[in-house]
Structures are given as structure tokens and as C-alpha cells.
Amino acid sequence: MNYWQSRTAELFSLLEQVKGSLRFGLPPSVGSVFFSKILFEYGCKYPQVDLQIVEGTSKKIEALVMNDQVDLGVVIEPYENPHMRLKTVYRSDVVLAVARNHRLAERTEVEIAELRDEPMLMVSKDYMFHDQVLAHCRQAGFTPNITFTTSQWDLLLEMTAENQGVTLIGRPLVEKLYSGRIKCISLQNPEFLWTLGLISKKCKTLSGAAKSLWNFCDEV
């Protein structure tokens, strides 16, 4: 390769580098469980991207994407919005979380209908997950006995560990943070999945930085 060929190759390499800013909407609960690893590896691969994290509930993040205040965001599935692209990036299950000394702690699975009279600790209505819990309980034939709501996942888990109630929550949140103090019990009838999706606005062309993260989620 001669000098000019070498310089041309270097120029094209520079042009192909992903640059610019990327505003990414991320619920704080899923950040520690799944996206912390992705965002670290993404930053290593694309160091010239100015990645700006905007925290909020999935409902808030959906609004931010719709209003062009963030480029990409994370939501809880099932999710439907005709104005959004959606790509599933993570799947797990929702479990019943109970204290180690709870009466159900020795069980490996429960039917959701068995929770009819249990004092239920819940995330606030700001979360899409709140609506999903209500929908699954209604599908099982009852309205949950909600005794406490909060926007703080760690408070929810702390109260569960202290046997102040039970909660339905994504398995990874318990296993990563509270596996020693809380028992996870599988749910049946109906099955309850915990699925994270990446969204972007359909009518908006993805920038190079946004497209790179969209595609990067398939690589890890």
C-alpha cells in the first residue's frame, strides 16, 4: 500500500467512527441489572460518543422519546405504541418475592390467585410494571390488596425482606441485590414475564450514535 492509499484508508476510518451525543432514557431499576454492562462496553467501543443518561420510569421515558428529548429509551414489555420502534433486549421472569420467614418461603411456585389476601407492596402508578401487576392479578380473578406503594425499588425490597408484605418483581432485581434475605418463588396461572424493550421514534431517523447503540444491544 503506497502513501496515498494509506492516507485514504485512514481518512475513511476516521469518517466511519461513531461520534456525537446520545441521550438514553433508562429506568434506574434496570440500569443496575442489565444495562450497566452494556453501557460500559458500549463506551469502550465508541469512546467518542457523548452518552447522556436520563433516568425515569418507563412511562416518563416513553414521553421523552415521543417529545424528542431522548433518542432511545427502555420500557417494560408488553408494549404497544404505533409511533415507536420496539426491540426486545432482555427476557427474564417476574417472581413472588417474600421474606425468608414468610409462610410461603418454602414453596417453589405459587399460583397468582393464591395471593388474593396477601398484603401487597407495589411500585407506584408511574411505572408500566404497576399496570402489568394489576392486569395479571385481574386475569387470576382478583384485585390485589395493595398496602404500600413506592417509586423506590430498594425500599420495596427492604420492606419485603422485613416481612412487611410480599411483592411481585423481576427475578434479576432480587437475585442481584437481595438473594440472601428474600426468597424468589415462581408464578403460575398466568405466567408472568419480565421483558425489557428498546424504543425509538419511528418518524425520526436514528443518528449514527443512536443506531450504534440500537445495534450494539444485539451483540452483547
Side-chain angles (χ1 to χ4, degrees):
M1 181 180 296
N2 63 34
Y3 173 79
W4 293 112
Q5 288 176 320
S6 176
R7 294 298 295 167
T8 301
E10 290 178 11
L11 177 60
F12 275 106
S13 177
L14 289 172
L15 290 174
E16 289 172 358
Q17 288 181 359
V18 177
K19 302 178 181 179
S21 62
L22 171 59
R23 298 162 299 174
F24 185 51
L26 184 65
S29 57
V30 304
S32 61
V33 172
F34 179 63
F35 275 93
S36 57
K37 178 176 183 291
I38 284 184
L39 295 179
F40 173 76
E41 294 181 357
Y42 176 84
C44 293
K45 185 173 182 178
Y46 300 105
Q48 297 190 64
V49 173
D50 177 21
L51 181 60
Q52 303 165 16
I53 304 299
V54 180
E55 290 192 346
T57 66
S58 292
K59 288 183 179 180
K60 177 182 178 182
I61 287 169
E62 178 187 38
L64 292 173
V65 175
M66 282 296 297
N67 294 324
D68 298 321
Q69 293 175 279
V70 298
D71 305 296
L72 303 175
V74 177
V75 296
I76 301 292
E77 296 186 47
Y79 174 83
E80 292 185 12
N81 185 325
H83 303 291
M84 295 289 190
R85 304 180 188 92
L86 172 68
K87 175 165 67 175
T88 300
V89 294
Y90 184 77
R91 289 186 178 90
S92 185
D93 60 330
V94 174
V95 296
L96 172 67
V98 301
R100 291 284 175 176
N101 60 341
H102 190 274
R103 66 179 184 85
L104 295 174
E106 299 304 315
R107 298 273 295 274
T108 58
E109 64 180 43
V110 298
E111 295 193 2
I112 292 183
E114 296 181 63
L115 307 178
R116 180 185 306 271
D117 298 320
E118 289 289 333
M120 187 78 70
L121 310 173
M122 286 267 285
V123 290
S124 65
K125 295 179 181 179
D126 297 334
Y127 287 85
M128 289 181 179
F129 186 69
H130 177 99
D131 300 337
Q132 292 184 16
V133 171
L134 291 181
H136 277 75
C137 290
R138 287 168 184 156
Q139 188 176 344
F142 71 101
T143 299
N145 175 28
I146 301 173
T147 58
F148 182 80
T149 62
T150 178
S151 62
Q152 301 179 44
W153 291 91
D154 55 346
L155 177 57
L156 197 69
L157 289 168
E158 189 63 36
M159 291 179 68
T160 300
E162 294 295 328
N163 205 12
Q164 297 176 24
V166 303
T167 192
L168 302 184
I169 195 168
R171 183 186 295 274
L173 294 174
V174 181
E175 292 185 340
K176 187 176 181 67
L177 303 172
Y178 278 81
S179 60
R181 300 175 61 200
I182 292 177
K183 173 71 181 297
C184 290
I185 304 172
S186 297
L187 296 169
Q188 303 293 328
N189 296 327
E191 183 183 33
F192 198 164
L193 299 179
W194 195 65
T195 307
L196 305 180
L198 193 62
I199 60 170
S200 67
K201 199 172 178 180
K202 280 183 177 179
C203 64
K204 183 178 180 180
T205 302
L206 293 178
S207 67
K211 188 175 182 179
S212 67
L213 181 56
W214 182 274
N215 294 331
F216 186 76
C217 288
D218 293 329
E219 302 174 14
V220 293

